[in-house]
Amino acid sequence: MAEGAGATAAGWGQETLLDRAAFDLPQRQHHLVRQLVQMSLDAVQERGGMIALEYYHDGHQFVVECHDSGPGIGDAAPLDVVQLNGQDNSPFRRGRAGQGLKEILSVATSAKLLSGSREVSFGEAKGHPSMREVPARAPVFGTSIIVTFGWRRETLDQLDADLKRLLVPDNVRLSLNGCRLPSRPSCSG
């Protein structure tokens, strides 16, 4: 997100109120959660796998948890935010490497990423964005991302309606809050 003049939003990045106004808030919330799902789809789509997305309001903030069975980010991968998803910037691949997570972190209250033997926490320390990496308590297969946002409880119903319309590849099992979404039919020529 571009930095500009004005008050900064509470969150991991330096997004201004002008940046936040660029999206209608419900549309932006849906976009960010879809971005998490898309990052997981990118990780599992080639070989197939599973994605579990859970979202809820804990009484104080909105929590989104996304777990996938993809290859993970690897123990030796550098963890600068822009390259976090391990994608290269090839013009033949979809998306911009790491931009989805960077966008999510720019408005998140906090985030935790678990993959392999790594645990990385993003938040604020002394009023500044911080990133802390520690060894995971137990090795994690795939990748898990847990993100908190300052969204209202009403976001739940809006997200339910939007996300249930996702088209799921037939080699991917996607569940939303414990309910499996149907896969799209394969095209056979």
Side-chain angles (χ1 to χ4, degrees):
M1 290 288 157
E3 291 187 25
T8 59
W12 191 83
Q14 297 298 312
E15 182 183 82
T16 68
L17 293 177
L18 293 174
D19 293 329
R20 212 172 252 219
F23 273 108
D24 174 46
L25 190 56
Q27 177 185 356
R28 181 135 195 229
Q29 293 166 337
H30 296 196
H31 167 75
L32 292 172
V33 175
R34 280 178 171 261
Q35 189 69 41
L36 275 173
V37 173
Q38 187 60 57
M39 290 185 313
S40 288
L41 280 170
D42 290 346
V44 303
Q45 195 164 16
E46 197 170 301
R47 290 190 202 152
M50 77 85 182
I51 300 167
L53 181 69
E54 304 281 331
Y55 48 92
Y56 53 91
H57 197 278
D58 69 2
H60 303 287
Q61 50 194 349
F62 198 87
V63 181
V64 180
E65 300 184 23
C66 190
H67 311 279
D68 69 56
S69 63
I73 59 170
D75 289 338
L79 269 182
D80 61 349
V81 173
V82 175
Q83 297 297 329
L84 191 57
N85 65 4
Q87 292 180 343
D88 60 19
N89 278 320
S90 166
F92 303 106
R93 293 199 59 173
R94 176 182 122 14
R96 298 165 297 155
Q99 293 301 309
L101 186 59
K102 188 173 184 178
E103 181 180 5
I104 291 163
L105 293 175
S106 75
V107 295
T109 306
S110 65
K112 183 184 292 187
L113 181 135
L114 301 141
S115 185
S117 62
R118 303 173 97 167
E119 179 177 314
V120 184
S121 297
F122 302 89
E124 282 195 23
K126 298 181 183 176
H128 297 290
S130 69
M131 179 180 109
R132 191 182 98 218
E133 182 171 355
V134 297
R137 287 177 230 158
V140 175
F141 177 74
T143 302
S144 293
I145 300 175
I146 301 144
V147 187
T148 58
F149 299 99
W151 301 343
R152 296 189 318 221
R153 188 179 304 274
E154 293 79 28
T155 306
L156 287 169
D157 294 333
Q158 297 166 348
L159 271 176
D160 279 343
D162 183 48
L163 293 173
K164 286 180 181 174
R165 296 190 323 246
L166 288 173
L167 297 174
V168 181
D170 61 358
N171 65 342
V172 175
R173 286 187 349 255
L174 173 61
S175 67
L176 299 178
N177 289 331
C179 298
R180 185 173 175 192
L181 290 183
S183 297
R184 67 177 180 225
S186 297
C187 295
S188 55

